[in-house]
Amino acid sequence: MTSEISNPVKRLDFDEKINGSIRYTADMELPNGLFAKTLRSEHAYAQIINITTPSLPDGYFIITSKDIPHNNTIPVVENDWPIFAEEEVHYIGEPILLIVGPDIQMIENLMDQTIIEYAPFKPTLTLKEAMQNPPHLELSYTKGDFDHTTLKVLDKFEETFETGLQEQAYLETQSMMAIYEAPVIKVYGSMQCPYYIKDALQNALAFSPENIEVYQNPTGGGFGGKEDFPSVLGVHTALAAIKSGHPVKMIYDRSEDLSYTTKRHPCKIKLTTYFDENHHLVAREADIILDSGAYTGLTNVVLQRLSFSIMGVYNITPLHVSARAYKTHKPPNGAFRGFGGPQAFFAIESHMNHIASRLGVNPLDLRNAYLVKQGDMTSTEGKFRHPVKLPELVWRMETMSDYRNHFAESEEYAGVGISLFLHGCGFTGSGEKELLKSKVSLAKFEDGTVEIKASSTEIGQGSLTTLSKIVAQALEIPIDKVIHKLPSTANCPDSGPTVASRTTMIVGKILYDLCGEVKKRWNEPRFEVSAMYKYPSDLFWNNTELKGDAYPEYAWGANVVRVTFNPVTYEVDVKDIWAVYDIGTPIDSKMVKGQIDGGIVQGLGYASMEEMNHIAGKVLQNRLSTYIIPCSADFPEIKSATLFNPFEEGPFGARGLGELTLVGIAPAYAAAVEQATGVKVNALPITPERLRRLIHEQRK
Amino acid sequence: MVKAFYYPRSLNDALEQLSENEILLIAGGTDLVVKTIHWTGHMDFNKTLMPLSHLPALRGISTDDTSVTIFAATSLNTILGHPSVPDPIKQAIRSIGSESIRNLGTLGGNICNASPAGDSLPALLGYDAMLTLQSVQGKRMVKLADFIHAPGKTRIRPDELLLSVTIPKLSYDRYRFSKIGQRKGCAISKLSVFGIGRIENGLISDIRLSYGALGPVPIRITDAERFMNRKSASEVLDNWDIIENSLETQLKPIDDLRSDAAYRLEVALNLTKEFIASFTHC
């Protein structure tokens, strides 16, 4: 069954992206513009003793922390992330100053002539070293009553999982430009969250809000990498534009972007499952450790999502979770599609497989015995309020992939793996209610066109088209009567950041509801109406106790991966990929497929080949020739489907999608590799080199 | 910054320039540009740049009864489309970069770049490729095996350019080129193994084994070849420890950010063994 709205339409940004006429920040002419380049720390941890700057030719400027009128911080959640290092540097690559001028070659010369003297300290480079000191973030919660004295436990099984860094590898590197037209500062660039940059500018400049305008330029991918980080470039270019009196542009080159921008958090998860005398899974504990890098950034929110996702899709109660994050002298880690989910589901789903193998049962049978149902408690003792169609999801996956036969009759060096997973749609905790308070507007004009005003950004995922479709269908007008441009803080209310798989479900829903009002007033020639997100009244959240509904709603998925293993080269070849999702109503089947295919391939890159390491605080893989992401030849066509399960609180029944497609594929891949090789794999990425080591260790 | 750029009108013009000035030759530039480009978009060359790919005297493929000669600035895709180029060589060239890189990149570029991971090199070594170098003083022939002596370093003189590569027409019953990269396309080799040989009266004959991306330079292991010749595949496999010792001491695999030495060595050995095993099925 499908809805009419699922029928694909031509994307609003299709022509300009296909014919190449679209102009990204780096392509834009900036009359009288200057270029800004960041001079970065060469030490992982040191005191800055002295800075000797060269004498500057006319038209060149140096920007340091002294040029910041207000706070020298990037406000994310905690204010520990400086705009420029002042007295100390905390990672290799930390910005110390900018050199700004008309000629980039001259800028490079001036950078070479700028001498920073350091007094180095001993840096903390690994999680192991970091754990000598207390964590900077900590949380714990218990679902149900975890009392060791009353639990009837016969046996327990404990194991540890590890995952590494992942780079977002958006096609367009971080890019920003600023123009100062006193008293107004205007910032334009590649971004997911215009209002985050506005907040950062306000915090640094102490300008009044009406004198700060942030505009999204065409953005070549984000994947979370343009959630928090563009604030750094936003403030840097603004400071340079204000001081120089010229427009200023800053474009990171690929190596700079790979080396110093935020990545997915490396993680270590210990899981303990308790069994009773009937081999039932009666309780579970999780102990989670994250590497934050040098500053907090979004780590506490990632830590929360990871911790809340660790129950998986299983009702195994009681569940006790403790989680900590430690700082190391490496670039701050941050947002990346999935936001803790990929780490959690790699651990929990692999753990379920290992339990099934210990108990000698089919991995799917073990899962089926513990699936959550509508009305069950979430990890944080909220409620799964809406129909949970996991049995149907599993059935669809079984029939589509023939999983059981593949599993039972697996040939030598072939394997199949399954994963079941969920993703909380929207901000964690009461974020949607307390922090975001999303607002959108619709303007109706005399000619019968309607303009969408929301700060949600188009980052390649298709939100311009998706939201237009929702409005067009709700108003029953053709989509070409809907105007939807890239947002700015000057023209659009704050509909919240473009993150957390929230744009379609939450922003789309406010727009959908608002269309009712527009319809009623349709005969008026010209008007504008606004509305805010209505937080469902039956949701609650206690942020001190971490109790309640951590998310407004959940989307669900199942993946099956079939592989073969080459014992001569230790290479794994993916033969089949199947994916089924419950995302409610797909708003556009083609764009949904785009998200599925992209998310799965990005997740398989994480699972199988993307590796980033630091030596002495310096990143090794700092080019796309050494940080290897998948290409089209690596994986076969993905066979995917969606369930029909409209979500009553979503626009036309839609749930969140963007991140769900990435979070579950790594454990399915890992399980397939385990069956094909006969070894246990508790760490990502599963490179041929890692497999070789594991096979030698485990066959001893 | 580019100091100067000289666009030669003919091969002789290019050779004269080479005899008088310090010059950096470009034959495709697919590796050179990536290696040299700065964040500023500029490239730092302290020599005059001279492109060669447009010179007719450096392009094309000629063939006679015993050999094929590929002129140095012939693009990789042109080579792939030529009927006289032996399939084992084509298989190696097909594994280089992407379609667009193979359109621009040249065989001469792949050789003179002298990368340990140059994917044409193991096959050319296996074929005993001869290089013709030319300067205003004339031509000289050098074996490819003697030409590359360190990563990125060759025995070409500053006044010389590589004119052509001559490959003998080998008869063979078995050949294999295996390239291992982290992904299936656009990959830089972690290791590569090239093998080619004949079967005479059920015995291995004229086998050649060469290896890329393991150590500082692509290398052919002739003592292992000598041990194998005039033996059956099963006899070689029964004495595998001898081959293993020979390869281990000569391949000198390295740890780097693409792979580790232990993986490289073991997989090179495994692929070699698999290739030898293919001689049993006559």
Side-chain angles (χ1 to χ4, degrees):
Chain A
M1 248 208 300
T2 55
S3 298
E4 195 194 326
I5 194 150
S6 305
N7 297 332
V9 298
K10 186 174 168 183
R11 285 177 61 132
L12 270 58
D13 51 353
F14 181 87
D15 286 334
E16 55 180 3
K17 284 181 177 168
I18 293 301
N19 68 24
S21 63
I22 194 166
R23 289 287 168 264
Y24 293 90
T25 305
D27 306 321
M28 290 175 178
E29 295 280 338
L30 210 50
N32 300 315
L34 306 180
F35 196 84
K37 188 72 182 170
T38 311
L39 191 114
R40 299 176 179 280
S41 164
E42 290 157 39
H43 287 268
Y45 184 27
Q47 193 186 345
I48 299 176
I49 302 286
N50 189 34
I51 300 177
T52 314
T53 53
S55 67
L56 295 171
D58 264 1
Y60 288 82
F61 303 86
I62 285 179
I63 317 293
T64 69
S65 61
K66 295 189 183 71
D67 296 302
I68 303 167
H70 199 51
N71 296 319
N72 181 13
T73 53
I74 300 291
V76 186
V77 181
E78 287 177 26
N79 283 330
D80 62 345
W81 186 345
I83 297 163
F84 291 112
E86 268 182 84
E87 278 146 27
E88 286 183 358
V89 289
H90 288 247
Y91 63 93
I92 291 177
E94 180 162 10
I96 296 172
L97 53 84
L98 305 180
I99 298 188
V100 182
D103 182 69
I104 46 182
Q105 201 61 46
M106 176 58 82
I107 292 174
E108 187 165 66
N109 297 342
L110 293 170
M111 288 183 70
D112 291 342
Q113 293 163 31
T114 305
I115 295 154
I116 317 274
E117 287 164 63
Y118 303 91
F121 305 123
K122 190 183 177 306
T124 302
L125 296 171
T126 62
L127 256 183
K128 202 175 160 192
E129 288 166 24
M131 286 167 69
Q132 311 285 321
N133 298 309
H136 73 108
L137 295 168
E138 212 168 352
L139 69 84
S140 72
Y141 71 88
T142 308
K143 177 192 177 193
D145 182 17
F146 208 113
D147 182 351
H148 279 280
T149 56
T150 57
L151 267 181
K152 291 200 178 87
V153 167
L154 184 76
D155 193 10
K156 69 172 186 176
F157 174 47
E158 178 182 296
E159 57 179 339
T160 303
F161 298 88
E162 276 183 69
T163 60
L165 289 165
Q166 189 184 16
E167 155 66 25
Q168 295 86 357
Y170 26 67
L171 266 176
E172 183 205 20
T173 57
Q174 301 275 352
S175 313
M176 202 70 67
M177 57 199 211
I179 299 171
Y180 183 50
E181 292 164 359
V184 180
I185 184 74
K186 298 179 176 180
V187 170
Y188 305 78
S190 186
M191 64 183 72
Q192 292 178 226
C193 313
Y195 276 93
Y196 280 9
I197 298 174
K198 184 171 180 176
D199 285 349
L201 289 165
Q202 210 170 326
N203 179 64
L205 305 175
F207 280 21
S208 65
E210 67 272 19
N211 291 334
I212 303 172
E213 297 177 1
V214 180
Y215 296 80
Q216 188 200 11
N217 279 342
T219 297
F223 310 108
K226 291 172 187 167
E227 174 175 352
D228 47 350
F229 199 85
S231 295
V232 174
L233 287 90
V235 174
H236 282 177
T237 51
L239 290 168
I242 292 166
K243 185 166 182 177
S244 68
H246 287 265
V248 172
K249 194 188 259 194
M250 179 180 256
I251 312 285
Y252 279 13
D253 80 337
R254 182 61 71 180
S255 167
E256 188 175 24
D257 201 306
L258 274 167
S259 303
Y260 310 125
T261 65
T262 48
K263 312 275 174 267
R264 190 186 302 290
H265 290 76
C267 173
K268 211 170 169 171
I269 300 175
K270 188 170 91 182
L271 293 174
T272 311
T273 297
Y274 297 87
F275 305 87
D276 71 7
E277 69 276 14
N278 300 316
H279 309 295
H280 291 144
L281 284 57
V282 290
R284 187 166 270 169
E285 279 176 303
D287 189 70
I288 297 160
I289 292 160
L290 282 189
D291 182 344
S292 308
Y295 300 115
T296 304
L298 289 159
T299 301
N300 54 349
V301 199
V302 173
L303 195 67
Q304 284 190 357
R305 192 180 271 273
L306 205 171
S307 304
F308 302 159
S309 303
I310 202 73
M311 79 171 262
V313 298
Y314 311 109
N315 192 355
I316 295 165
T317 313
L319 167 73
H320 178 72
V321 179
S322 59
R324 298 175 299 289
Y326 295 86
K327 284 188 180 179
T328 54
H329 292 109
K330 288 180 294 193
N333 293 312
F336 193 149
R337 194 180 197 175
F339 213 75
Q343 295 97 317
F345 282 98
F346 169 63
I348 199 72
E349 286 298 282
S350 298
H351 189 54
M352 288 301 274
N353 294 333
H354 299 162
I355 290 171
S357 139
R358 270 171 70 99
L359 299 178
V361 299
N362 182 289
L364 192 50
D365 290 336
L366 178 75
R367 284 171 166 82
N368 283 341
Y370 297 93
L371 297 180
V372 292
K373 318 179 290 298
Q374 182 176 13
D376 279 356
M377 272 197 299
T378 66
S379 51
T380 49
E381 299 187 357
K383 204 162 131 189
F384 290 108
R385 299 175 304 140
H386 300 285
V388 175
K389 295 205 171 178
L390 278 171
E392 194 181 329
L393 197 74
V394 168
W395 177 80
R396 275 291 285 279
M397 180 47 87
E398 278 197 68
T399 45
M400 229 171 114
S401 68
D402 202 14
Y403 168 78
R404 282 182 192 272
N405 270 326
H406 286 304
F407 184 79
E409 287 159 26
S410 173
E411 288 169 11
E412 196 183 16
Y413 303 128
V416 66
I418 192 165
S419 63
L420 303 180
F421 48 93
L422 57 72
H423 193 75
C425 313
F427 246 45
T428 301
S430 52
E432 294 293 343
K433 185 180 170 189
E434 311 286 340
L435 290 174
L436 299 183
K437 301 178 177 137
S438 300
K439 190 177 167 191
V440 302
S441 301
L442 285 171
K444 194 247 166 187
F445 302 102
E446 292 87 342
D447 61 357
T449 57
V450 173
E451 183 170 359
I452 296 173
K453 295 182 177 181
S455 68
S456 307
T457 48
E458 171 64 61
I459 50 174
Q461 86 283 42
S463 71
L464 283 182
T465 312
T466 309
L467 297 180
S468 296
K469 251 183 126 173
I470 289 170
V471 168
Q473 185 118 348
L475 291 174
E476 298 170 89
I477 59 173
I479 193 165
D480 58 13
K481 293 281 180 195
V482 180
I483 303 163
H484 193 187
K485 298 180 201 146
L486 292 179
S488 74
T489 61
N491 300 320
C492 304
D494 187 358
S495 61
T498 302
V499 303
S501 305
R502 62 183 293 283
T503 301
T504 301
M505 187 180 99
I506 290 186
V507 181
K509 172 66 172 165
I510 323 172
L511 285 167
Y512 176 86
D513 289 345
L514 191 55
C515 284
E517 205 181 323
V518 173
K519 258 180 147 173
K520 274 188 224 152
R521 296 173 55 181
W522 191 255
N523 291 331
E524 292 177 38
R526 190 189 175 102
F527 61 91
E528 183 166 327
V529 287
S530 303
M532 282 178 65
Y533 177 60
K534 286 183 206 66
Y535 192 68
S537 57
D538 52 345
L539 294 178
F540 82 99
W541 179 252
N542 179 331
N543 206 42
T544 351
E545 306 271 312
L546 302 180
K547 287 278 178 236
D549 296 293
Y551 300 97
E553 178 56 358
Y554 301 84
W556 309 84
N559 288 159
V560 168
V561 175
R562 207 173 64 80
V563 306
T564 57
F565 170 68
N566 181 340
V568 173
T569 62
Y570 297 96
E571 289 173 307
V572 172
D573 204 16
V574 177
K575 294 295 179 190
D576 289 292
I577 302 165
W578 293 276
V580 186
Y581 303 98
D582 177 2
I583 54 158
T585 307
I587 293 299
D588 185 292
S589 60
K590 207 167 238 178
M591 279 188 280
V592 164
K593 185 165 166 33
Q595 287 296 304
I596 292 171
D597 291 357
I600 284 180
V601 170
Q602 199 164 32
L604 284 172
Y606 181 55
S608 68
M609 67 177 81
E610 295 186 28
E611 187 157 29
M612 186 172 267
N613 307 304
H614 288 78
I615 285 191
K618 211 174 159 77
V619 66
L620 284 182
Q621 295 85 353
N622 65 349
R623 306 172 70 153
L624 286 177
S625 61
T626 49
Y627 183 79
I628 304 299
I629 60 171
C631 69
S632 60
D634 283 302
F635 304 117
E637 193 185 333
I638 294 159
K639 284 154 264 182
S640 59
T642 52
L643 288 193
F644 185 77
N645 182 22
F647 168 47
E648 61 186 40
E649 291 167 13
F652 294 100
R655 291 187 173 80
L657 162 70
E659 295 168 283
L660 180 72
T661 57
L662 193 151
V663 299
I665 196 74
Y669 178 82
V673 171
E674 288 184 332
Q675 191 180 26
T677 58
V679 297
K680 220 163 117 178
V681 183
N682 284 26
L684 298 180
I686 311 169
T687 58
E689 285 80 358
R690 187 191 293 280
L691 268 181
R692 183 194 152 271
R693 284 194 298 272
L694 289 174
I695 286 169
H696 283 278
E697 281 162 23
Q698 294 184 25
R699 285 191 184 155
K700 256 177 203 163
Chain B
M1 206 57 131
V2 178
K3 268 186 128 181
F5 186 84
Y6 189 84
Y7 192 81
R9 281 153 296 162
S10 64
L11 178 58
N12 282 339
D13 187 14
L15 293 173
E16 271 166 36
Q17 282 299 320
L18 270 179
S19 70
E20 289 159 14
N21 298 305
E22 261 201 274
I23 282 177
L24 187 65
L25 300 172
I26 314 177
T30 54
D31 211 58
L32 191 72
V33 171
V34 176
K35 268 200 294 205
T36 331
I37 199 155
H38 273 227
W39 64 267
T40 54
H42 293 76
M43 287 180 268
D44 253 335
F45 296 112
N46 43 17
K47 295 177 184 173
T48 299
L49 287 182
M50 186 158 74
L52 297 174
S53 297
H54 62 289
L55 295 176
L58 286 174
R59 297 171 63 152
I61 295 165
S62 68
T63 178
D64 60 27
D65 289 349
T66 58
S67 67
V68 180
T69 296
I70 302 171
F71 287 85
T74 310
S75 81
L76 299 169
N77 267 344
T78 306
I79 297 169
L80 290 178
H82 199 282
S84 302
V85 177
D87 286 342
I89 300 283
K90 282 185 179 171
Q91 199 194 336
I93 288 176
R94 201 172 288 121
S95 76
I96 297 176
S98 61
E99 193 69 15
S100 49
I101 286 173
R102 291 189 296 270
N103 276 334
L104 267 182
T106 62
L107 190 62
N110 202 240
I111 293 169
C112 293
N113 198 31
S115 160
D119 286 323
S120 74
L121 301 174
L124 293 174
L125 281 175
Y127 263 83
D128 277 331
M130 287 297 289
L131 310 181
T132 303
L133 305 171
Q134 192 171 357
S135 70
V136 285
Q137 284 153 28
K139 294 178 185 172
R140 66 177 175 123
M141 307 273 278
V142 184
K143 277 177 152 179
L144 174 62
D146 299 328
F147 185 65
I148 299 171
H149 61 90
K153 298 271 188 294
T154 70
R155 301 204 188 279
I156 200 163
R157 294 198 314 256
D159 65 334
E160 284 178 321
L161 56 74
L162 174 63
L163 178 73
S164 63
V165 184
T166 302
I167 302 158
K169 286 183 176 167
L170 290 181
S171 67
Y172 54 84
D173 297 302
R174 296 283 183 274
Y175 79 89
R176 179 173 297 181
F177 176 68
S178 307
K179 167 175 170 167
I180 309 296
Q182 187 84 320
R183 67 178 159 221
K184 288 182 181 165
C186 298
I188 299 176
S189 292
K190 294 172 181 178
L191 69 111
S192 64
V193 178
F194 178 79
I196 190 163
R198 283 185 287 130
I199 301 169
E200 276 179 11
N201 306 319
L203 302 180
I204 295 170
S205 163
D206 193 19
I207 191 168
R208 290 123 189 257
L209 297 169
S210 40
Y211 299 84
L214 280 134
V217 292
I219 184 172
R220 195 171 146 184
I221 310 292
T222 45
D223 63 348
E225 295 171 0
R226 275 196 298 276
F227 177 83
M228 292 175 181
N229 281 332
R230 289 179 301 283
K231 288 192 181 69
S232 69
S234 55
E235 194 183 344
V236 172
L237 294 174
D238 285 346
N239 293 287
W240 192 248
D241 50 330
I242 296 172
I243 304 295
E244 235 178 70
N245 277 333
S246 158
L247 292 179
E248 262 188 64
T249 47
Q250 292 177 74
L251 288 179
K252 302 186 183 73
I254 55 162
D255 284 321
D256 66 8
L257 40 74
R258 264 185 259 290
S259 187
D260 60 63
Y263 174 84
R264 285 180 155 127
L265 180 65
E266 186 181 328
V267 173
L269 284 164
N270 288 350
L271 288 167
T272 308
K273 200 172 188 176
E274 203 182 51
F275 177 60
I276 300 305
S278 75
F279 283 76
T280 54
H281 322 292
C282 294

